[in-house]
Amino acid sequence: RSGSCTMMRCGRRKDLENDADTCKRRMVAAKTLIDGLGGEKVRWTEQSKEFKAQIERLAGDVLMATGFLSYCGPFNQEYRQLLLRNWQSENKSRSIPYTHNLDLISMLAEKTTIAEWNLQ
């Protein structure tokens, strides 16, 4: 009888060791995940700050984009640039935030369309 009890104890001990090993593997995996997400927190925080800054500049950027679409079509590139500089000065004088190096073409057209234009 004592032999069977020893086998039961050994079986129980083996089960506990297996459970402990599984728990250790899960803890290692969880630590790896948490460490990876720690790096993401920095990136997310920076990206959140950039989104906030973009939102603050959105009104000025849209103002220049709509002005460009409405008024610049018939003019050559040189005169378009002059109009944009004037609008930037107006935004600045009226304390309207805007993106200083705004690329209106990239804002208004898809990358694939721009690539097609460049091929022509």
Side-chain angles (χ1 to χ4, degrees):
R1 212 165 201 214
S2 67
S4 66
C5 286
T6 305
M7 287 180 71
M8 287 179 69
R9 286 185 193 142
C10 286
R12 177 78 176 132
R13 181 177 178 178
K14 188 71 170 165
D15 289 343
L16 289 173
E17 286 174 352
N18 288 341
D19 288 347
D21 287 342
T22 300
C23 185
K24 284 179 188 176
R25 283 194 307 274
R26 287 180 179 167
M27 287 182 68
V28 168
K31 183 180 182 329
T32 302
L33 178 62
I34 289 169
D35 290 345
L37 291 176
E40 286 297 300
K41 181 182 179 186
V42 171
R43 187 178 67 82
W44 291 338
T45 301
E46 290 300 314
Q47 197 169 32
S48 177
K49 288 178 187 176
E50 178 56 31
F51 287 152
K52 183 179 180 191
Q54 285 177 349
I55 289 170
E56 289 173 1
R57 298 186 310 259
L58 186 61
D61 292 352
V62 169
L63 181 64
M64 287 196 296
T66 56
F68 182 85
L69 288 172
S70 299
Y71 299 109
C72 289
F75 302 115
N76 65 23
Q77 188 62 25
E78 184 179 328
Y79 192 69
R80 289 175 181 173
Q81 290 300 321
L82 175 66
L83 287 173
L84 287 172
R85 284 193 299 272
N86 288 340
W87 294 337
Q88 287 173 343
S89 295
E90 282 296 317
N91 280 347
K92 188 174 183 178
S93 71
R94 296 172 191 269
S95 299
I96 299 172
Y98 65 95
T99 302
H100 295 281
N101 57 353
L102 182 64
D103 183 359
L104 288 172
I105 303 302
S106 294
M107 181 180 183
L108 298 171
E110 298 290 328
K111 289 181 181 182
T112 53
T113 303
I114 296 169
E116 287 175 15
W117 292 340
N118 290 331
L119 291 174
Q120 296 175 354

